[in-house]
Amino acid sequence: MAGRTSRKIAPDLLGNSAWNATAFLVAVVLNLAILPFVITHLGPTAFGVAGLVTACIAPALVFSNALGVSTVRELALRLDPSDREDAQRLFATSVMLALCAGGLISLFVLVVGPSLARVAFHLASPAADDLAWAFALAAMGWLCQCVAAVFVAVFTARQNYKRIALVGIASTVVSTLSMLLLIPAAPNASTFLGCQALGLASGLLLAVAWSCGAFGQWLARPELHRDAFARLARLGIWQVAAQGGALLAGQADRYLLGALLQPQFVGFYGVAQRLQEATYIGILKLGEILFPFFSTLQKESEDRKVDLLFRSSWILNILAASALGALIPVAGPLLHVWTGAEVAAEAARLLVVLSIAGIIGSSANVFGFYLLAQGQSRCNALIALITGGITLVTSAIVLPGFGWQAAGWSACAGMIAQMATIVMLLRRSFDLSGMWPRVVHCVLMPLGIGIALALALRYGLDRAPFQLAPSWWSVGVVGAVTAAIIFVAGVAASQLGPYRSACWQDLRAIVRRFVPLKAI
C-alpha cells in the first residue's frame, strides 16, 4: 500500500514543485532585471533607505507568516466535506485576525516607524525626506500581503500550486511594470516601496477573486470563533517565536549596518543579499510543497516518515549546493555586469560568504517543513531562536571591530548553530540506530561537497593567468559549469554510501517526470 501511495503522490509533488519553480523563476528574473534600473535612478543611498524601511517593516512579517502557516495546517486537516463548517469557522477567524490585528500593526508602523528610523539609523540625508510616505506605502503593502496570505492558504491546503503560482506571477509583473513607469518620474525610496505595495495589492485582489470562485462554499465572512482562535493560536504562538528567530537571523546585519554606517552600505548589502536570497528561496520554494504533503502523513509509520524525510532532504540539499555554489566562483564578475564596478568591488566577498551560509542553512529546510507539519512548532521555534540569537551576537561582535566587510560572517555562524540544533532534535525525535549514516549521506555530504568544490573553483579562477570577463555569457557559462560539477560530484558521492539505491531511484523518478524517455 505504501509503495502504491508513494507512486501516486510523487507526480503531484513534482508537478507542484514545477509550478512553484515557475512562479519563482518569473519573480527572480523580473526582480533581478529591474534592480539595476532601480539603483541607477535611485542611487545607492535612496536604495539603502528603502532597505532600512523594509527592515523596519520586517517584524510585522512575524505575525502574517505565522497566521498563514497556522491557517494552512488547520485547513489541510479539514478537507473532507464533513469538516466544511469547521473549516469555515477557521477561515472566518483567520480573516478577522488578519484585518483587525494586521490593521493595528500597520497603524503602529505608520505612526511610530518614521521617527524611530530617523533616530536609530541617523537618516538625515535628502534621500530620506520622503520617509513618512515610504513607511505608509510599505505598511499598506504589508497589510495586503497579510490578508492575501489567508486566501492563499485555501489553495495551499489543497496543494493547488497552479493558482498560487499565478497569483505570485501577477503580483510581480504589476510591481515591475509600475517601477518602470513611476520611478523615472519620482526617483524616491517611497516610489520604490509604493510599486511593491501596488503589486501586493493586485495579488490580494486576484487571490480573493479566485478563492471565492473556486472554493466559495468553504469560505465565510470575517468573524471571531473562540474554538478556531484557540486552534490557530496553539500553532501560531510557536510560529511567532520561530518567525522572530528567523527575523533576527535575516535582518541582524542590516539593522547594525544601518545603525553604525551610512545607508549606502545597507544598499550594497541589499544587492548581495538579494542575489543570495533569490537562489536560496528558489530552492525553498521547490520544497515548500512538502509542508502540506507531510501534513497528510499523520497515520503513516515512523519508518515511512523518516524515509520520505531524508530522501526529500537529499534531493533539496544537492540542488541547493549546486545552485548556491554556482554563485561563489563568479561573485565579482556577476555583480559587475549586473550592477556596476562600484557595487562589485564592495559586495563580491560578501556574496561569497552569504552563499556559503545559504548552503549550510539548506540543511534545515526539509526538517523544518516536517516538524511544522507534525505540529512540533516548539522545535521550529527553538531552531529559529538559537539561529537568530547566534547571528545577532556574532554581528554585534564582528561589525564594530571589522567593519561592513565582516557582514555575512554572522550568517555562517547562525547556520552552523542551526545545523547542530537540528541534529540534536533529530536524535530526540526518532528512535533510529542508523541516524548518523543518514545525516551524513543525505545532509552533510552534498552540502560539504558543494562548498568545497565552489571554493576550489573560485581559488582556481583567481589564480588563473586570465581574469574572468565581466560579461553575461562568461558568468553564465562558468556558473552553469560550476553547478553541473557540484551536482555530478554530489550524485557520484551518493552512490558510495548505504542509501545509494534510494538516491538513484529518486533521481530517475524526477528525470522521468520532466524528461519522459522510455530509456530512463
Side-chain angles (χ1 to χ4, degrees), residues 459-468:
Y459 180 83
L461 286 174
D462 287 344
R463 299 299 185 274
F466 58 89
Q467 293 295 318
L468 184 63

Side-chain angles (χ1 to χ4, degrees), residues 306-435:
V306 170
D307 184 56
L308 289 171
L309 176 66
F310 278 99
R311 291 169 72 169
S312 302
S313 182
W314 177 79
I315 293 171
L316 285 186
N317 284 339
I318 198 169
L319 290 176
S322 302
L324 288 163
L327 297 177
I328 293 175
V330 300
L334 175 57
L335 288 170
H336 189 152
V337 72
W338 182 42
T339 56
E342 180 185 6
V343 176
E346 295 285 349
R349 184 176 299 178
L350 172 62
L351 178 56
V352 172
V353 177
L354 289 177
S355 298
I356 294 173
I359 294 175
I360 299 172
S362 299
S363 62
N365 293 341
V366 174
F367 300 110
F369 290 134
Y370 174 81
L371 293 171
L372 191 60
Q374 299 300 310
Q376 299 184 41
S377 297
R378 186 178 302 182
C379 294
N380 269 339
L382 177 63
I383 293 169
L385 289 173
I386 290 176
T387 304
I390 295 296
T391 302
L392 182 61
V393 170
T394 306
S395 293
I397 293 173
V398 301
L399 286 179
F402 297 92
W404 103 271
Q405 293 289 352
W409 295 3
S410 58
C412 287
M415 294 307 170
I416 292 172
Q418 176 180 263
M419 181 182 292
T421 306
I422 287 172
V423 171
M424 177 190 71
L425 290 175
L426 284 175
R427 294 182 63 185
R428 290 176 51 188
S429 300
F430 300 117
D431 183 20
L432 293 175
S433 57
M435 176 63 69

Side-chain angles (χ1 to χ4, degrees), residues 226-248:
R226 186 174 300 177
D227 58 334
F229 175 78
R231 287 196 292 268
L232 290 170
R234 271 197 299 270
L235 181 64
I237 289 172
W238 290 110
Q239 272 302 111
V240 165
Q243 294 291 334
L247 169 70
L248 285 178

Side-chain angles (χ1 to χ4, degrees), residues 35 38 42-59 117 121 123 127 131 134-135 138 189-190 192-193 196 250-251 253-255 258 263-271 273-274:
L35 190 58
V38 171
L42 296 186
T45 301
F47 183 69
V49 171
L52 289 173
V53 173
T54 303
C56 291
I57 296 290
F121 303 131
L123 296 178
L131 202 59
F135 269 95
S190 60
F192 175 68
L193 295 168
Q196 290 183 329
Q251 302 293 336
D253 278 346
R254 188 172 295 180
Y255 289 142
Q264 61 262 32
F265 292 101
V266 180
F268 294 143
Y269 180 86
V271 171
Q273 191 183 45
R274 185 71 64 92

